[in-house]
Amino acid sequence: MTAKTTIFNAKKIITMHQENPTATAVAVRDGRILGTGTPEDMVRWVKNSPYTPFEVDTTFQDKILMPGLVDAHTHIEMQALIYSGHFVAQIPWPKPDGGFHPVYPTKQAVLNRLKELDRELPPGELLYGVAYDENKAGDFIHVKDLDEISTERPILISNLVFHRFWVNSYLLKKSGIGPSNIPEGVETDENGQPNGTLLEGKGLINVLPVLPDLVNVTPEMIKRILPLFTAAGNTTATELVYGAFDLDGTHNVFKELYSDPEIKLRSICLPYANTNKEMLGSMEAFIAKVKDFTAQNSDRHRIGPVKLYADGSIISRTAYIGWPGYWDGSPQGHWQCEPEPLKEMLVACHEAGLSTVTHANSRPAIQAMLDGVLEAQNKRYRPDMRHRVDHCYNMTEAQLRLAKDLGVGVQFFTPQIYYYGDAHLKIQGPDRAQNITPTGTAKRIGTSWGFHNDPPGTPQLPWIGAWATVQRKTESGLVLGPEQRVTVDDALRALTIEHAYQLHMDREIGSIEFGKKADFCVLEANPYEIDPDELKDMPVWGTVFGGVPNPAR
């Protein structure tokens, strides 16, 4: 309990509370919102209440307050993992302490950088490169490329969306992979030899036994990347593959992390079913573990829906995309979880009272998820479950209507329009690419929708996500699906109250209104008054977390 009430004055407060949409002062006590209005109103009301003493804080009198941004689909642990590597990206990635990592525009520039790193690193140490985009760099990486860097140390490179990986022959041999042993997810050449490409987690997992420290994410590694969230204005974020490699280990790391009172970010963690069902022996054992963890929830760290995984990545050409396949002639991808076992897991979660979030890019995968919810509700009707389907590049109007009827929320990966829209035109063809992430249709139908950056899919820059959702411009300046554009207000509501709703958190966060947590995003400009094309460059002062100012670095 705090000793006093604080009244924060601001140039403007965007509340996202429709009954009281704007204010210029907000009173905060015990980390919660006591009231909103004008500075004079707040002083008068607090003076005539038992909630004194009070102070007036003018730190934000020239700034804009809005609800703290809620990131409904990100990866806290995964970002800690990729930031432990060496960026070889073709787009700028933000540094936690400010600025951006260098950009390497071509494959040759990347290979030159890897040669530099090979000379700099101690002998035998893993050379781990991250965020390579085969589409922008113009080519895949091959085992011979990495063998020219070194055959005396392990080399692992991940692509930008973490769905395709490349290794050298040293790491293949150390992992026991060769012509007589080609595990699932390991790609081969025309002679049946492994070509150094690992597809999805199924491929990556084959080399992890000889890289035991790679996925050993520590609290210190996570703390290092948390300034990225403050710099964007986030006060709540999700971990979408909680415990993918070690559920108990990850839970212990997060519990230790959130025992530190200096952590200024709420986390909603989604336990990953696909791998843990196997590691724990059954879906029933996994559900029991999730319920045990849920009983340990705290104010800043809690367990959210169960995460399911249907297809792979369209931009990496690993997803089962459906008829008529990839427009550039790439081979049809594979299901990462076939429709029937996907439905079985979803139904089991539903019957146990657990909501789900399903990774699904393609129409077949989205349909499999919706069919699973329909089957689950037919077996046992449960109102207000708020199951959700995420990414949804190729979602149709019919599927959006069904999602609305079933109470299923939708999360669109709209930043891919900017970062990958030109590539999607080549990979998917004109009709599918023009209508990827159909936010306009979702708005017209009334389906609950939001959007996300999904790092490592794209950087933790939600204002670029908001801009891409509003403008739908590719890197080349082409507008994909102009009829799918939405307003700035739509984008801001998605980033706040709608995301809170999708996470069953709308009673606590997402708007600045009486009784909710005093979590605010502090802006240097009004997003409603700037040119919408400048939304991606929104200047963020930092956040207020639980009533305490938290400036960005």
Side-chain angles (χ1 to χ4, degrees):
M1 302 288 283
T2 61
K4 61 188 173 187
T5 297
T6 301
I7 298 172
F8 291 105
N9 292 346
K11 184 177 181 181
K12 188 169 189 177
I13 300 174
I14 302 165
T15 69
M16 292 299 159
H17 178 43
Q18 291 185 334
E19 285 76 11
N20 185 28
T22 61
T24 48
V26 56
V28 173
R29 185 177 181 86
D30 302 327
R32 297 171 67 181
I33 297 163
L34 194 60
T36 60
T38 66
E40 297 77 18
D41 285 341
M42 287 297 97
V43 168
R44 177 167 55 86
W45 279 106
V46 172
K47 274 185 175 179
N48 293 284
S49 77
Y51 310 120
T52 56
F54 73 93
E55 67 175 4
V56 175
D57 190 320
T58 59
T59 303
F60 308 126
Q61 63 184 1
D62 296 321
K63 304 189 189 305
I64 309 296
L65 298 185
M66 63 178 288
L69 304 191
V70 180
D71 197 322
H73 186 125
T74 189
H75 298 276
I76 298 171
E77 188 177 26
M78 190 78 76
Q79 286 191 77
L81 174 60
I82 63 171
Y83 273 86
S84 72
H86 303 276
F87 280 90
V88 290
Q90 289 64 60
I91 61 173
W93 277 74
K95 295 180 178 179
D97 54 355
F100 288 83
H101 287 281
V103 168
Y104 303 92
T106 65
K107 176 180 174 179
Q108 189 56 55
V110 169
L111 296 178
N112 292 342
R113 174 58 178 152
L114 294 177
K115 289 176 184 176
E116 291 177 359
L117 291 167
D118 178 57
R119 291 191 293 268
E120 295 169 5
L121 293 174
E125 183 176 305
L126 170 67
L127 199 173
Y128 175 39
V130 298
Y132 178 79
D133 179 5
E134 62 271 20
N135 297 289
K136 286 183 173 59
D139 192 12
F140 294 112
I141 292 176
H142 303 281
V143 65
K144 60 182 178 60
D145 298 318
L146 299 182
D147 282 351
E148 289 177 7
I149 308 298
S150 176
T151 56
E152 298 178 348
R153 73 163 74 246
I155 301 178
L156 171 67
I157 312 297
S158 70
N159 82 337
L160 187 65
V161 291
F162 222 69
H163 288 266
R164 187 180 285 264
F165 309 85
W166 298 276
V167 299
N168 63 347
S169 59
Y170 177 95
L171 189 49
L172 287 171
K173 181 182 287 188
K174 277 281 188 181
S175 303
I177 299 170
S180 60
N181 179 35
I182 307 293
E184 186 178 6
V186 175
E187 199 172 74
T188 59
D189 61 20
E190 63 276 7
N191 299 315
Q193 298 281 346
N195 65 6
T197 300
L198 309 178
L199 300 177
E200 298 284 338
K202 292 178 180 178
L204 177 64
I205 202 168
N206 294 295
V207 301
L208 292 184
V210 297
L211 302 173
D213 295 329
L214 179 66
V215 294
N216 182 26
V217 175
T218 64
E220 290 69 32
M221 290 169 64
I222 295 176
K223 284 181 184 179
R224 177 173 171 255
I225 60 97
L226 292 185
L228 294 169
F229 294 94
T230 300
N234 288 112
T235 53
T236 299
T238 48
E239 169 49 59
L240 259 290
V241 288
Y242 194 63
F245 300 108
D246 178 4
L247 188 53
D248 284 307
T250 296
H251 193 60
N252 289 335
V253 165
F254 272 74
K255 283 201 299 183
E256 179 181 342
L257 178 73
Y258 279 91
S259 67
D260 183 349
E262 294 304 309
I263 298 300
K264 301 293 194 299
L265 184 74
R266 304 187 198 282
S267 68
I268 314 296
C269 298
L270 282 65
Y272 190 61
N274 291 56
T275 54
N276 280 293
K277 174 188 173 184
E278 305 303 323
M279 287 190 285
L280 293 171
S282 69
M283 196 64 188
E284 291 73 21
F286 169 71
I287 288 172
K289 178 78 73 172
V290 170
K291 290 190 171 184
D292 176 54
F293 285 174
T294 302
Q296 304 170 36
N297 281 351
S298 68
D299 181 54
R300 293 179 299 144
H301 170 235
R302 66 183 68 185
I303 301 300
V306 168
K307 173 69 181 295
L308 306 175
Y309 191 90
D311 59 359
S313 162
I314 290 176
I315 200 68
S316 298
R317 302 165 178 84
T318 63
Y320 179 79
I321 197 173
W323 183 90
Y326 287 94
W327 202 267
D328 66 351
S330 296
Q332 180 70 274
H334 302 285
W335 289 93
Q336 301 307 308
C337 182
E338 295 280 347
E340 284 308 311
L342 179 76
K343 290 181 198 174
E344 289 173 6
M345 288 192 290
L346 197 155
V347 169
C349 290
H350 179 90
E351 291 187 326
L354 301 178
S355 183
T356 62
V357 168
T358 301
H359 167 117
N361 291 295
S362 66
R363 293 178 182 181
I366 294 164
Q367 193 60 47
M369 181 273 175
L370 293 173
D371 289 345
V373 175
L374 185 60
E375 183 176 322
Q377 291 286 21
N378 283 335
K379 284 189 171 183
R380 182 169 183 177
Y381 175 64
R382 285 184 178 274
D384 199 32
M385 286 296 289
R386 304 186 205 179
H387 294 290
R388 205 178 79 198
V389 59
D390 283 26
H391 304 325
C392 305
Y393 294 119
N394 295 336
M395 198 167 192
T396 67
E397 182 172 337
Q399 290 174 329
L400 282 165
R401 289 187 186 280
L402 179 56
K404 179 187 177 184
D405 291 343
L406 292 172
V408 170
V410 176
Q411 271 287 316
F412 291 118
F413 198 170
T414 52
Q416 283 229 4
I417 297 170
Y418 171 54
Y419 291 109
Y420 291 128
D422 296 314
H424 273 290
L425 279 164
K426 299 174 184 176
I427 292 171
Q428 296 208 67
D431 289 84
R432 285 179 294 189
Q434 286 286 347
N435 288 293
I436 59 172
T437 63
T439 47
T441 303
K443 176 185 174 180
R444 288 188 289 273
I445 289 172
T447 310
S448 171
W449 67 271
F451 62 89
H452 53 272
N453 288 78
D454 189 30
T458 63
Q460 186 67 38
L461 298 169
W463 292 99
I464 285 185
W467 169 83
T469 305
V470 171
Q471 300 289 69
R472 294 185 67 92
K473 288 183 181 178
T474 71
E475 262 190 338
S476 68
L478 180 69
V479 175
L480 282 187
E483 71 286 346
Q484 297 294 350
R485 288 179 292 194
V486 295
T487 67
V488 170
D489 185 64
D490 294 326
L492 297 185
R493 287 191 61 79
L495 278 172
T496 54
I497 190 63
E498 198 63 28
H499 287 179
Y501 167 80
Q502 291 188 346
L503 292 168
H504 289 265
M505 290 283 288
D506 50 316
R507 290 180 294 178
E508 301 178 57
I509 58 173
S511 61
I512 300 176
E513 61 178 292
F514 174 76
K516 288 192 175 183
K517 298 182 188 301
D519 292 353
F520 312 139
C521 169
V522 185
L523 304 176
E524 302 281 6
N526 189 330
Y528 291 107
E529 294 178 356
I530 63 172
D531 183 333
D533 215 28
E534 297 176 1
L535 201 59
K536 65 181 183 301
D537 302 312
M538 175 58 64
V540 178
W541 178 90
T543 65
V544 174
F545 185 82
V548 179
N550 181 36
R553 290 180 183 175

